[in-house]
Amino acid sequence: MNGREHHINKDFRNVSTICCVFLPQARTQMEDRKAAGPSRAARRGRWWRLRQRWRMVGVFEINPEHEFYQLTSMIKEGMHSSIQTTMDTSGQDTPAAEQFASEETQTHEGFQMQTFAASVFAQQRRSLDITEEEYMNSLCSDQCYLQFVSNSKSKANFFVTNDKRFFLKTQSKREVSFLLSNLQAYMAHLEKYPHSLMVKFLGVHRIVIPNQIKKYFIVMQSVFYPDDRINIRYDIKGCEVGRWTNPDTGGKQIIQVLKDNNFEGQTIALGQEKSWFAHQVKVDAAFLQELNVLDYSLLLAQQPLHRDELDGKHSLANLVIRTTKSLDLEDSPTGSDPPTVPLLKETLGEEGSVQPQAAAGEGFHEHHRRLLPNCKNSNQVIDGPEQRYFVGIIDIFTVYGWKKRLENMWKSLRYPGRAFSTVSPANYSRRFCQWIQDHSQ
């Protein structure tokens, strides 16, 4: 054996020795890791995939192969131009009367987009702390809209922005006419009750594609935003007939919205916020009664508060943020006029000390406000002692006309002594508020 072969064999023996020593040890370590479960990185990856899958339950992207892709692409283009117009126009806090009846038509390649009461809805967005840049980025991004799939019986098309912040819903001409004719009253109600639970309309439009479609649609703030941890939703009308949904989706990837009878035996646990909630529902229902409206619903969902949210709920820093958010200081005429200063003093005390929230709440209630949580979409969010609730009153377009009166007569004969949805606005309002009172604590 020559010297080179000797060295090779020696090296081979050394490698073999190393393998004999370390391979069993490495195998043992690998077996230990397998027994201990997946690595942190693997767990993070699995959780991310699970969240992505859960995020898309009940919705799917309107991609180029989808039947509504052309329509939604045109809506995006039209919305971009419409929003750009309001960005370029200096807004005023109180729209003039003629602005409620304004119509603007913009012509694009292959379609036209009409925008109704543009400055009025721009003011509405400002009041909700939604900047025009945020609004445009959400509605006009390169990401596809999502189609909302639920057990709703509505024949309308529902589209959702990819971040799930805003809904677009097609409406009939009658429904749009009803909204626009009552827009001034609606805005006055929200001005008086800035923390109202009513659905927040952010825009009304009509898209016309020659020889194809003419569709009205409205843009609304989603009640369930952000929806990352929401896994159960309810649509409440305050009656019993037809108000049960089978929770089993049969394996279908839809968002199941449950109803009144599914909520039996449960409560909305709000603690100190209960009185404000019941009062605001009563005020909003009274407004809808004045409009001769019935068949509206309370959308309701809940999720447990995180430990850090519970721990920081009553801290001074959190209370200051929530107070300034709730008072909307930038909209105060002078920055020091009532009710701003009295409410701050009631909340923080003369020396800046934290006061009990219940005492602070009384001052807010006097001014039709509450202490909002520190989160996006805070008008539709109420924090109880342990749970965060998402609430909003929706579907406010059904007027008690002759068709509904005939339906009331027929249902009275078919369901004697039972509670059904088609009743007079006064009875509907009373029963709706009673349900809230009975199921809140």
Side-chain angles (χ1 to χ4, degrees):
M1 179 183 295
N2 60 33
R4 184 181 178 191
E5 290 173 337
H6 173 75
H7 283 299
I8 291 173
N9 287 336
K10 183 179 178 182
D11 291 342
F12 181 77
R13 286 195 300 271
N14 289 339
V15 171
S16 299
T17 302
I18 291 171
C19 289
C20 289
V21 172
F22 287 104
L23 279 179
Q25 183 178 348
R27 191 180 299 114
T28 302
Q29 290 173 344
M30 289 175 64
E31 289 170 353
D32 289 343
R33 281 198 295 270
K34 286 181 180 179
S39 68
R40 183 179 300 175
R43 288 196 299 271
R44 278 201 303 266
R46 188 179 301 168
W47 173 242
W48 182 86
R49 288 191 296 272
L50 184 63
R51 285 193 63 181
Q52 288 300 102
R53 195 180 309 128
W54 175 251
R55 179 183 178 273
M56 296 303 290
V57 169
V59 294
F60 52 86
E61 289 191 339
I62 302 176
N63 58 33
E65 287 74 41
H66 195 283
E67 61 174 320
F68 289 129
Y69 182 75
Q70 181 194 24
L71 173 62
T72 55
S73 297
M74 290 180 174
I75 287 176
K76 281 185 182 183
E77 182 182 339
M79 291 295 297
H80 188 280
S81 297
S82 177
I83 299 167
Q84 188 63 56
T85 300
T86 58
M87 290 173 72
D88 296 338
T89 306
S90 57
Q92 56 188 71
D93 290 336
T94 306
E98 62 271 15
Q99 291 175 307
F100 286 89
S102 68
E103 295 181 23
E104 299 170 10
T105 300
Q106 294 177 318
T107 301
H108 302 265
E109 185 177 350
F111 72 98
Q112 287 186 329
M113 176 77 86
Q114 283 181 285
T115 301
F116 301 89
S119 57
V120 177
F121 289 110
Q123 192 276 333
Q124 165 85 314
R125 297 192 290 271
R126 287 194 298 273
S127 72
L128 295 170
D129 197 27
I130 301 170
T131 67
E132 295 300 272
E133 290 79 8
E134 283 180 298
Y135 193 58
M136 180 180 285
N137 289 340
S138 185
L139 283 160
C140 309
S141 75
D142 293 334
Q143 294 180 305
C144 297
Y145 281 175
L146 308 173
Q147 186 170 18
F148 182 73
V149 185
S150 77
N151 57 317
S152 170
K153 295 180 181 178
S154 173
K155 294 180 181 179
N157 298 125
F158 292 88
F159 306 131
V160 193
T161 55
N162 200 275
D163 59 7
K164 295 188 178 181
R165 189 172 181 182
F166 304 112
F167 261 92
L168 296 89
K169 181 183 178 184
T170 59
Q171 303 282 170
S172 68
K173 183 177 180 179
R174 183 202 65 78
E175 290 168 332
V176 167
S177 296
F178 174 80
L179 173 59
L180 293 176
S181 63
N182 291 288
L183 184 57
Q184 208 158 355
Y186 167 80
M187 292 296 291
H189 178 78
L190 295 186
E191 186 176 2
K192 184 175 182 181
Y193 300 96
H195 299 165
S196 167
L197 300 174
M198 297 274 289
V199 59
K200 304 306 186 297
F201 298 114
L202 305 176
V204 177
H205 306 269
R206 184 185 187 221
I207 187 168
V208 179
I209 304 175
N211 304 317
Q212 290 189 44
I213 60 170
K214 298 177 181 179
K215 278 187 182 289
Y216 289 95
F217 67 93
I218 58 176
V219 184
M220 300 174 285
Q221 190 173 28
S222 173
V223 173
F224 300 144
Y225 177 81
D227 73 341
D228 294 349
R229 293 186 293 125
I230 295 175
N231 58 11
I232 189 166
R233 297 162 171 82
Y234 292 92
D235 179 293
I236 303 297
K237 293 183 182 292
C239 58
E240 58 171 320
V241 174
R243 302 303 296 163
W244 165 265
T245 293
N246 185 352
D248 184 10
T249 63
K252 296 179 180 177
Q253 295 293 299
I254 66 172
I255 293 177
Q256 193 76 296
V257 181
L258 305 181
K259 299 179 182 177
D260 304 55
N261 294 334
N262 298 95
F263 199 79
E264 192 64 36
Q266 303 181 62
T267 57
I268 307 170
L270 297 174
Q272 296 171 348
E273 297 284 11
K274 175 189 172 180
S275 62
W276 178 89
F277 178 59
H279 174 72
Q280 189 59 55
V281 168
K282 187 175 181 179
V283 167
D284 289 337
F287 169 71
L288 294 175
Q289 181 182 333
E290 290 176 7
L291 297 183
N292 201 33
V293 164
L294 70 154
D295 219 23
Y296 43 89
S297 301
L298 180 82
L299 275 188
L300 173 68
Q302 69 183 50
Q303 64 185 35
L305 286 168
H306 282 307
R307 177 51 54 188
D308 60 333
E309 292 170 327
L310 291 169
D311 292 343
K313 207 171 176 185
H314 303 294
S315 70
L316 176 60
N318 182 273
L319 200 55
V320 170
I321 292 172
R322 292 173 64 197
T323 301
T324 54
K325 184 183 185 73
S326 305
L327 295 175
D328 207 8
L329 296 177
E330 292 182 0
D331 289 343
S332 178
T334 65
S336 61
D337 290 343
T340 302
V341 168
L343 285 177
L344 278 169
K345 289 179 179 178
E346 289 163 5
T347 306
L348 302 177
E350 294 289 342
E351 303 300 325
S353 59
V354 180
Q355 300 295 305
Q357 188 168 327
E362 293 172 7
F364 277 88
H365 294 180
E366 289 175 8
H367 302 285
H368 313 303
R369 296 173 184 262
R370 64 183 169 95
L371 204 55
L372 296 173
N374 183 25
C375 63
K376 286 286 187 183
N377 198 28
S378 55
N379 275 62
Q380 312 298 154
V381 175
I382 306 178
D383 283 351
E386 301 290 337
Q387 299 283 336
R388 168 162 289 176
Y389 293 91
F390 296 79
V391 290
I393 297 175
I394 64 164
D395 294 340
I396 64 170
F397 298 119
T398 304
V399 177
Y400 194 56
W402 65 269
K403 288 184 179 179
K404 287 297 176 182
R405 292 174 188 274
L406 288 175
E407 187 178 333
N408 170 265
M409 293 173 60
W410 177 76
K411 286 186 176 180
S412 297
L413 296 172
R414 184 173 181 182
Y415 306 110
R418 298 184 65 190
F420 48 83
S421 63
T422 311
V423 294
S424 71
N427 286 336
Y428 195 96
S429 172
R430 174 192 53 76
R431 191 176 60 193
F432 187 76
C433 295
Q434 189 62 53
W435 191 98
I436 297 298
Q437 188 68 42
D438 293 342
H439 290 82
S440 303
Q441 67 175 27

